[in-house]
Amino acid sequence: MASVHAASRLLSKRILSRTKAAPAAAVQGLRNLHFSIYGKKTNAKVSDDISNQYPVVDHEFDAVVVGAGGAGLRAAFGLSEAGFNTACVTKLFPTRSHTVAAQGGINAALGNMEEDDWRWHFYDTVKGSDWLGDQDAIHYMTEQAPAAVVELENFGMPFSRTEDGKIYQRAFGGQSLKYGKGGQAHRCCCVADRTGHSLLHTLYGRSLRYDTSYFVEYFALDLLMEDGECKGVIALCMEDGSIHRFRAQNTVIATGGYGRTYFSCTSAHTSTGDGNAMVTRAGLPCQDLEFVQFHPTGIYGAGCLITEGCRGEGGILINSEGERFMERYAPNAKDLASRDVVSRSMTIEIREGRGVGPEKDHVYLQLHHLPPQQLATRLPGISETAMIFAGVDVTKEPIPVLPTVHYNMGGIPTNFKGQVITHTNGQDKVVPGLYACGEAACASVHGANRLGANSLLDLVVFGRACALTIAEEHKPGEKLSPLKSSAGEESVANLDKMRFANGSLRTSEIRLNMQKTMQAHAAVFRTGQVLKEGCDKMDAIYQTMDDIKTFDRGIVWNTDLVETLELQNLMLNGVQTIHSAEQRKESRGAHAREDFKDRVDEYDYSKPLQGQEKKPFDQHWRKHTMSYVDPKTGKVTLEYRPVIDTSLDEQDCAHVPPAIRSY
């Protein structure tokens, strides 16, 4: 035993001496032992400009991508392929990113099951967005979709196949033929029910062909902004506590959503909205954060996702009377109406006393009428998940399900090229050097409600778009503009403050308060009074961050510290979400107000437009919310930006004028 203690003391001395000394050489050498993919290390310099306590390493790159999910990987290897010296900074090993959990598929009008056209996909996406989506970005995404899927196939993605060897496409919610008049479309390309897993591994495998420098398990703290221009990011290496400043001409944020602001969600515990928070702290706006998608089918009690692919393959939702209730709410699309419609219908059934279980507080998803062979080949993952988390054999009994927070339609506002924008004096203005893609971004292709299987498409199309835009506007090896020597000082000061925080509330207590407040006050159905209470509670909880207590004072793998930094990020997302929702006095897409049941557009689209007068901008709600937060006080400021109603080419693809949305 004594020898074990001696070895332990020796090891702790070594670790301490390594973190105290200027770590560059030691850390670099150590890295290469661990990961052969760390790539080029010649451009790192140790600096003591901003901290004596924390070793700071400066890196220079042409581009830095934050996040290594589907969007981050596609952007990173797109940039490397174009010759840019690219860093990919990620808090998780790439294949652990949350893209891995996507199940259903990726939409593209390939026409393998019946005649299809990307313009019909365009129409469905605009309608799905409840006319809050920007039609130029939707045009770009749906037109690029078939090529994006074929590209993935060429990268080696093992899509499920039809009998004659084509990519199999299943039915999915909100997808129609002939502009909503031709019945259900089969447009969703899938790999059984593990499409995200397959996509992520395919993209990661592909990325290793290129010379991208991966900085794995580095937690991005903040953007390095100067005079309104983004000059890179500052990050914490979780393994040894060193601070790294990544200077780059171009920074791409691909950090995913912030589902963990809610108590029950399908997101990983790492979905903490870090990119949105970095942008917020930089004084830039987030867009449309009030639109939070509740997936109709999360496992009751566990919150695990049960893919919409179940209903695409023929599964049905039933209530306590054994009735297929979606026929009443969406006579045409039934169980394959868009997600906000299905979630609301389920909630109404439960409220009206037709829920199942002892508490009558959920409904059933029935699959056992489908052939066992079909379940085994098309939905193997679901069969396993249902058995583990609900104890249900899907070939014999139904799965208990409940709407669960799943996706954030809002995020960092961008144009269709992936460039981050702000809106001043009625004009969209590009933020130089900053890009965003994936769930972290809001292009806005999803508007007020995302259609199932459009998110994986969003990742690859806009990840690629960011790389193409940077390649168009810059050349590899461009000289970097100088950076103030004190850049990132505030981030290090905040990190140090959190590391030694000695209040009375644990990180986990504050996080639980926030999650329960969001779950209770910004749910499927919302009302003014409940939202107002929620705003007050969230503001009060924001203030309790000053009384936080952390326990681990170390710097090596300090998960207590990282969770506290993530909680700061979640808080910034949460207050913007609930304040934006409280202000929006209408129902649109996923934002359903019981005190304002109707959508409020510039015209009343339920009546003929002739003779109607257009409402002024400040009197209707067909506009994007732009939210800002003062990180010190937590005060939220809201502004608004018009929706883009024109496609990229009106000749080739006419825009879709607003109409009443029914399925």
Side-chain angles (χ1 to χ4, degrees):
M1 198 65 194
S3 63
V4 172
H5 282 305
S8 157
R9 277 200 305 277
L10 184 68
L11 191 63
S12 64
K13 271 183 192 161
R14 274 188 196 161
I15 289 171
L16 281 169
S17 65
R18 195 178 83 220
T19 54
K20 280 175 190 162
V27 170
Q28 310 305 336
L30 188 85
R31 289 266 173 282
N32 291 336
L33 270 175
H34 286 202
F35 297 107
S36 56
I37 56 166
Y38 265 65
K40 311 181 261 307
K41 286 289 175 192
T42 51
N43 56 0
K45 299 179 193 66
V46 181
S47 126
D48 54 6
D49 287 337
I50 58 173
S51 173
N52 300 324
Q53 260 113 21
Y54 299 89
V56 178
V57 186
D58 279 332
H59 305 265
E60 290 189 357
F61 287 94
D62 292 328
V64 58
V65 179
V66 184
L73 287 174
R74 185 65 192 82
F77 77 69
L79 287 160
S80 294
E81 193 176 24
F84 289 87
N85 180 13
T86 308
C88 185
V89 177
T90 169
K91 69 177 178 181
L92 297 167
F93 190 76
T95 52
R96 292 190 61 208
S97 302
H98 195 54
T99 304
V100 84
Q103 296 173 359
I106 175 168
N107 284 329
L110 296 176
N112 288 351
M113 312 303 275
E114 68 255 306
E115 186 200 348
D116 205 354
D117 188 323
W118 65 264
R119 292 167 192 83
W120 303 342
H121 183 191
F122 167 80
Y123 168 84
D124 288 333
T125 304
V126 174
K127 179 182 171 183
S129 79
D130 218 350
W131 280 275
L132 196 74
D134 290 331
Q135 297 199 23
D136 58 345
I138 296 174
H139 178 169
Y140 182 78
M141 180 180 80
T142 52
E143 188 176 22
Q144 295 288 323
V149 168
V150 170
E151 179 181 65
L152 289 170
E153 186 184 28
N154 293 342
F155 290 163
M157 190 162 156
F159 285 106
S160 296
R161 300 279 164 180
T162 59
E163 292 284 303
D164 54 356
K166 289 179 177 170
I167 292 175
Y168 167 72
Q169 295 181 283
R170 59 162 61 116
F172 231 64
Q175 301 290 344
S176 70
L177 301 169
K178 301 186 176 159
Y179 306 105
K181 297 183 179 69
Q184 179 66 46
H186 295 75
R187 190 174 287 144
C188 173
C189 313
C190 60
V191 182
D193 57 359
R194 301 190 181 107
T195 316
H197 183 274
S198 189
L199 174 84
L200 191 63
H201 281 263
T202 301
L203 289 174
Y204 179 59
R206 181 72 183 186
S207 75
L208 296 183
R209 288 170 61 111
Y210 304 101
D211 198 12
T212 307
S213 298
Y214 282 87
F215 293 85
V216 174
E217 288 162 349
Y218 279 63
F219 184 80
L221 300 169
D222 274 303
L223 298 172
L224 299 172
M225 298 291 291
E226 266 181 36
D227 308 322
E229 185 181 339
C230 182
K231 299 198 167 181
V233 293
I234 182 165
L236 164 74
C237 171
M238 295 193 263
E239 188 184 17
D240 61 18
S242 55
I243 303 283
H244 294 250
R245 288 192 301 191
F246 294 90
R247 289 186 52 201
Q249 201 82 353
N250 303 288
T251 304
V252 182
I253 298 180
T255 49
Y258 59 93
R260 283 285 152 191
T261 42
Y262 283 83
F263 181 67
S264 174
C265 63
T266 65
S267 318
H269 287 278
T270 50
S271 297
T272 52
D274 304 331
N276 296 4
M278 283 156 63
V279 160
T280 299
R281 282 192 292 269
L284 298 168
C286 285
Q287 178 171 286
D288 291 341
L289 293 196
E290 66 267 42
F291 296 102
V292 176
Q293 181 163 86
F294 284 75
H295 195 290
T297 54
I299 292 183
Y300 172 69
C304 295
L305 177 66
I306 294 290
T307 177
E308 194 166 310
C310 292
R311 286 169 286 134
E313 294 292 339
I316 54 172
L317 292 163
I318 54 171
N319 61 19
S320 57
E321 293 161 18
E323 177 203 8
R324 184 183 183 180
F325 59 84
M326 280 311 300
E327 291 179 335
R328 276 189 280 116
Y329 297 95
N332 297 325
K334 300 188 176 82
D335 299 85
L336 287 173
S338 66
R339 288 178 177 174
D340 57 323
V341 174
V342 181
S343 289
R344 281 197 291 276
S345 308
M346 290 167 71
T347 308
I348 292 168
E349 287 297 300
I350 292 163
R351 276 187 178 180
E352 292 180 357
R354 292 187 292 277
V356 298
E359 310 272 318
K360 289 190 161 300
D361 57 352
H362 55 282
V363 299
Y364 282 143
L365 173 63
Q366 184 181 302
L367 297 172
H368 57 75
H369 60 288
L370 300 174
Q373 183 55 37
Q374 185 183 356
L375 294 173
T377 53
R378 300 292 188 213
L379 300 168
I382 288 313
S383 309
E384 193 183 336
T385 304
M387 180 54 81
I388 294 168
F389 293 100
V392 161
D393 177 352
V394 292
T395 61
K396 298 192 178 107
E397 48 200 331
I399 308 170
V401 292
L402 194 66
T404 307
V405 169
H406 178 58
Y407 186 87
N408 300 105
M409 271 73 73
I412 303 160
T414 72
N415 57 22
F416 74 93
K417 298 173 175 176
Q419 296 166 306
V420 174
I421 52 174
T422 57
H423 192 73
T424 40
N425 305 326
Q427 294 295 314
D428 288 345
K429 211 162 133 264
V430 170
V431 178
L434 190 57
Y435 300 78
C437 52
E439 192 176 350
C442 180
S444 157
V445 281
H446 307 305
N449 169 68
R450 173 174 73 76
L451 291 186
N454 266 357
S455 60
L456 292 184
L457 180 60
D458 176 13
L459 302 185
V460 289
V461 167
F462 290 103
R464 176 173 170 268
C466 286
L468 292 174
T469 307
I470 291 168
E472 241 171 61
E473 308 213 341
H474 298 273
K475 290 189 174 61
E478 281 178 354
K479 192 174 183 316
L480 295 176
S481 52
L483 183 72
K484 279 208 295 266
S485 58
S486 63
E489 213 167 19
E490 283 179 23
S491 310
V492 179
N494 177 59
L495 178 121
D496 192 65
K497 182 181 158 193
M498 288 301 127
R499 182 178 158 206
F500 295 107
N502 203 15
S504 60
L505 292 168
R506 291 165 177 260
T507 302
S508 54
E509 289 176 70
I510 298 177
R511 186 173 58 220
L512 189 61
N513 287 343
M514 171 198 68
Q515 290 173 333
K516 293 222 155 147
T517 303
M518 291 297 290
Q519 194 77 34
H521 294 270
V524 174
F525 282 107
R526 303 164 173 185
T527 58
Q529 191 189 342
V530 175
L531 282 167
K532 188 79 195 77
E533 272 171 35
C535 289
D536 296 342
K537 281 189 188 172
M538 281 298 288
D539 290 343
I541 294 166
Y542 193 95
Q543 299 310 318
T544 64
M545 290 294 288
D546 295 337
D547 191 27
I548 201 163
K549 178 175 177 60
T550 51
F551 292 85
D552 186 349
R553 302 287 183 237
I555 197 62
V556 173
W557 269 115
N558 185 341
T559 51
D560 191 15
L561 173 63
V562 171
E563 281 186 27
T564 306
L565 296 169
E566 286 178 329
L567 176 59
Q568 286 185 323
N569 294 343
L570 284 171
M571 273 295 177
L572 287 171
N573 284 293
V575 290
Q576 289 179 79
T577 300
I578 202 154
H579 279 276
S580 302
E582 196 271 327
Q583 274 303 307
R584 186 173 279 272
K585 312 277 197 281
E586 65 155 358
S587 290
R588 184 184 298 274
H591 175 70
R593 291 278 298 250
E594 291 192 280
D595 45 352
F596 296 97
K597 285 186 157 61
D598 297 321
R599 201 176 78 187
V600 183
D601 298 320
E602 63 277 35
Y603 294 108
D604 180 352
Y605 287 102
S606 63
K607 299 181 181 136
L609 297 190
Q610 208 172 353
Q612 284 194 48
E613 201 173 313
K614 188 176 180 178
K615 287 183 191 148
F617 188 69
D618 59 352
Q619 285 176 29
H620 71 82
W621 285 103
R622 206 164 72 82
K623 53 191 176 187
H624 296 297
T625 306
M626 306 290 268
S627 53
Y628 300 81
V629 184
D630 176 351
K632 287 185 178 63
T633 62
K635 186 179 181 324
V636 180
T637 312
L638 301 177
E639 292 174 3
Y640 294 93
R641 166 179 172 246
V643 174
I644 298 171
D645 279 330
T646 50
S647 70
L648 292 173
D649 180 352
E650 287 288 330
Q651 250 54 53
D652 188 28
C653 171
H655 74 278
V656 183
I660 293 302
R661 177 168 169 260
S662 66
Y663 288 96

